[in-house]
Amino acid sequence: QTTRNRISAVVNRGDAQLILMDTPGFHKPKNKLGESMMRSVSDGMSGVDAVTLVVEAAPKFGFDPDNLPAAEVALIEEFKKRNLHAVLAVNKTDLLADRTELLSVISAYSRLYDFDAVVPVSAQNGDGVDELVAEQLKFSKPAPHFFDDGDTTDQADSVMVCEMIREKILLLLDKEIPHGTAVEVTKFSERENGIIDLEVTIYCEKDSHKGIIIGKKGAMLKKIGELAREDIEDFMGTKVYLQTWVKVKENWRDNLNYVRSMGYRDE
């Protein structure tokens, strides 16, 4: 539940252009935000040429071939209903002590669906990524490109900024706090010399969470800002001045108006 909106990435390979749509993870929604996320998953499977199911080669809590995660089984059932072409990407192969362990993972998922291809990959070191793209390209059809060759995503720069900051919150804070946060850009301006000024508000659900996000003498908020600014500067290709604030909006995830105001889809 780290991805909240459907986000498209643009990948150009020769004459072909892939539009990769990353959706929120399939789960049972517990609030209005979760319901919005699940609509995004359903919409993401409509009108696509193929899907890629990403599973882990080395699950954190062990692997039981007869007890696959319920969310993944439910998602595969959606593939069946829609009769979708599908590729199985088995990620995190770099964590395997013995690569023969891959066989049990591949066998368990292949029993549930007739995948067009199965590709072991490591997003960490890039192994298998070219092979995965090659399999996805097999589903491409003659058509005009949807995006200019230089485009990398369909998201506005402000949305990418929010995602980079939220990523740092997820990395630096644990338990429920990161999942109860939202990020909003309140100022985005560019100076004549190309420097970008950003003002950003981080929303959380409790005063206690606000204190944790800010940290002792502001140390945690400063660290979040510093790490995010580095990524934002790399993305923007210019120097960025970033100011961050933290505000409380109690139970915002279960308030449809708040969910909409944070930019999450509701239809």
Side-chain angles (χ1 to χ4, degrees):
Q1 300 183 41
T2 53
T3 302
R4 289 178 176 169
N5 273 332
R6 188 177 70 231
I7 297 175
S8 293
V10 183
V11 179
N12 292 299
R13 290 290 187 273
D15 292 336
Q17 183 177 82
L18 291 176
I19 311 301
L20 304 178
M21 291 188 292
D22 183 26
T23 69
F26 199 84
H27 66 283
K28 185 176 181 179
K30 297 179 180 180
N31 47 48
K32 295 298 182 183
L33 175 62
E35 292 173 5
S36 171
M37 290 161 64
M38 290 311 299
R39 281 192 291 273
S40 184
V41 177
S42 179
D43 291 349
M45 286 189 285
S46 300
V48 298
D49 296 302
V51 294
T52 300
L53 177 64
V54 183
V55 302
E56 293 190 9
K60 190 177 296 183
F61 302 108
F63 180 73
D64 181 354
D66 297 317
N67 189 28
L68 297 177
E72 292 179 356
V73 174
L75 189 57
I76 289 173
E77 288 301 314
E78 287 294 318
F79 295 173
K80 293 178 181 177
K81 290 178 185 177
R82 298 166 186 263
N83 195 28
L84 294 171
H85 287 292
V87 175
L88 178 67
V90 187
N91 190 27
K92 301 188 179 180
T93 56
D94 53 292
L95 299 181
L96 289 175
D98 181 358
R99 285 185 67 90
T100 59
E101 296 175 30
L102 270 173
L103 298 177
S104 62
V105 176
I106 293 171
S107 176
Y109 285 97
S110 296
R111 286 199 299 267
L112 294 181
Y113 200 72
D114 183 18
F115 290 96
D116 293 80
V118 178
V119 186
V121 299
S122 168
Q124 179 69 26
N125 59 33
D127 288 349
V129 173
D130 287 341
E131 289 82 356
L132 178 59
V133 172
E135 291 296 337
Q136 292 167 334
L137 283 171
K138 292 179 181 179
F139 304 108
S140 60
K141 302 172 182 176
H145 285 188
F146 288 101
F147 294 89
D148 293 336
D149 289 348
D151 290 344
T152 57
T153 179
D154 65 339
Q155 301 296 301
D157 289 345
S158 59
V159 174
M160 299 304 294
V161 167
C162 290
E163 290 297 285
M164 291 176 198
I165 294 172
R166 201 163 62 85
E167 177 195 38
K168 305 312 174 190
I169 297 172
L170 286 162
L171 289 173
L172 296 173
L173 300 174
D174 59 5
K175 298 182 180 178
E176 177 62 17
I177 294 174
H179 296 289
T181 60
V183 181
E184 180 184 25
V185 173
T186 54
K187 178 183 178 182
F188 192 124
S189 61
E190 184 175 353
R191 305 181 192 179
E192 290 184 0
N193 59 5
I195 294 175
I196 293 175
D197 292 299
L198 287 173
E199 294 182 7
V200 173
T201 300
I202 299 169
Y203 295 99
C204 59
E205 294 184 307
K206 298 179 181 178
D207 285 321
S208 59
H209 292 178
K210 177 179 178 180
I212 294 170
I213 295 170
I214 293 174
K216 188 176 181 180
K217 296 182 179 179
M220 179 56 71
L221 185 60
K222 181 179 179 182
K223 189 172 184 180
I224 291 169
E226 287 176 347
L227 293 176
R229 181 177 52 78
E230 291 176 4
D231 283 358
I232 295 168
E233 288 184 339
D234 286 342
F235 178 73
M236 297 290 184
T238 187
K239 188 172 183 60
V240 172
Y241 285 101
L242 174 65
Q243 289 185 299
T244 55
W245 287 269
V246 183
K247 293 183 179 180
V248 176
K249 278 192 175 182
E250 293 185 4
N251 300 318
W252 71 266
R253 286 181 293 175
D254 209 28
N255 184 308
L256 187 56
N257 289 329
Y258 281 168
V259 170
R260 289 171 176 169
S261 71
M262 299 296 179
Y264 301 117
R265 302 175 69 252
D266 56 76
E267 59 181 11

